[in-house]
Amino acid sequence: MDSAKIEFAVQMTCQNCVNAVKKSLSNVEGIKDVDISLERGTVVVDTNLPYSLIQEKIEGTGKMAVLKGYGGGNSGYSFGESIKGVIRFAQTANGCIIDGTVDGLSPGPHGLHIHECGDISRGCESVGDHFNPQNTPHGGPDSKPSERHVGDLGNIIADNSGRVRFRIVDQLLKVPEIIGRSLVVTENPDDLGKGETPASKIDGNSGKKLACGIIARSSGLFQNTKQICACDGLTLWDERDRSISEKTESSTDYKICRVS
């Protein structure tokens, strides 16, 4: 599976911190290379593992870590409300990497699709149809290009706790073509166009849209230089703590501050 470089901000104060982080990532299958900078407070990992697994390894040392950037052309998508998670897309020479963690789903498979419109003014009902610029029938990620939508990403499978971690490499998807569109997780599994009803060739009989949001441009490697949040003056670490501890009933669970 293709690897990509992922950048984390890590709260390190001395060489012992560097050594502890390096040890936590050593001999981990799926990690090709680790570059740690005490001066910048960053850890860059070349890996084919989901970013959340790398983050857990680093935080197992007692050091806080925040995802800052993803190698290659990239974009990000965040869920809100009862279903929470982050999915990132990174363009590589061998395809588009789709790396995500989602919580709050019912156990089992759920369809994952990119839809044509970045309009959530009426929630998931205004995102349009699957992204399908070639006007082809619905299929699965392993179908021929003439037998699938560009936005057909197949299924993700939640465990008994409702969490799913996944890392997909799709040969048809291009990051520049999906920024500003929307990503949707559905209630039912996608039959990948193999069902016997007319809906199978439209949406894979994947049912109700459970969660949706607009795909936006996010930071690549070394592009996110934020240390202080311009919204309220909180440090990166204060903001991270608050995003974990303060849960609200609003449409999102934490504030996102953007930098240019």
Side-chain angles (χ1 to χ4, degrees):
M1 184 179 291
D2 290 335
S3 65
K5 291 186 177 181
I6 309 173
E7 181 190 14
F8 296 90
V10 180
Q11 202 170 36
M12 300 178 292
T13 58
C14 62
Q15 187 60 40
N16 286 339
C17 299
V18 173
N19 294 340
V21 171
K22 184 179 296 184
K23 183 177 180 180
S24 73
L25 299 175
S26 64
N27 300 319
V28 176
E29 186 175 355
I31 294 180
K32 294 177 60 177
D33 187 53
V34 178
D35 182 15
I36 302 175
S37 171
L38 178 60
E39 180 181 2
R40 295 194 304 268
T42 60
V43 176
V44 178
V45 183
D46 190 351
T47 181
N48 60 18
L49 298 173
Y51 77 89
S52 57
L53 290 179
I54 304 299
Q55 187 173 23
E56 283 186 3
K57 291 285 185 183
I58 296 173
E59 294 193 335
T61 67
K63 308 301 177 185
M64 291 191 293
V66 173
L67 178 66
K68 291 190 70 177
Y70 216 115
N74 64 96
S75 61
Y77 167 77
S78 298
F79 292 102
E81 299 183 358
S82 61
I83 299 174
K84 304 176 178 68
V86 174
I87 298 173
R88 287 181 176 266
F89 302 80
Q91 196 69 49
T92 72
N94 297 315
C96 179
I97 295 174
I98 305 141
D99 180 350
T101 301
V102 182
D103 289 296
L105 296 170
S106 60
H110 297 269
L112 183 69
H113 310 111
I114 294 173
H115 284 245
E116 59 186 355
C117 302
D119 177 6
I120 55 173
S121 59
R122 292 186 290 111
C124 299
E125 298 309 309
S126 51
V127 298
D129 297 326
H130 290 181
F131 178 44
N132 184 22
Q134 304 304 320
N135 195 30
T136 51
H138 175 76
D142 295 328
S143 301
K144 297 177 182 178
S146 61
E147 298 175 355
R148 61 164 283 193
H149 303 154
V150 174
D152 290 342
L153 301 181
N155 291 298
I156 53 177
I157 303 175
D159 62 20
N160 289 334
S161 71
R163 165 169 283 195
V164 56
R165 283 177 169 150
F166 61 93
R167 195 175 190 277
I168 303 166
V169 180
D170 190 271
Q171 303 298 322
L172 198 56
L173 202 61
K174 306 294 183 185
V175 167
E177 297 177 355
I178 64 171
I179 294 174
R181 302 189 189 280
S182 58
L183 185 67
V184 173
V185 175
T186 60
E187 182 176 23
N188 300 327
D190 186 335
D191 68 16
L192 309 180
K194 299 176 182 179
E196 297 180 356
T197 66
S200 177
K201 294 299 183 182
I202 298 173
D203 64 6
N205 288 306
S206 53
K208 178 183 177 182
K209 303 177 185 71
L210 292 181
C212 57
I214 299 170
I215 301 169
R217 175 76 168 82
S218 63
S219 297
L221 292 177
F222 312 118
Q223 292 178 342
N224 184 354
T225 59
K226 184 179 77 171
Q227 297 296 328
I228 300 292
C229 179
C231 302
D232 49 22
L234 292 179
T235 67
L236 185 67
W237 310 111
D238 291 335
E239 183 184 342
R240 178 191 180 281
D241 285 342
R242 190 167 72 173
S243 72
I244 294 173
S245 63
E246 292 187 3
K247 300 299 181 183
T248 70
E249 295 182 356
S250 62
S251 59
T252 56
D253 292 297
Y254 53 90
K255 177 167 69 277
I256 297 175
C257 297
R258 296 174 181 267
V259 295
S260 57

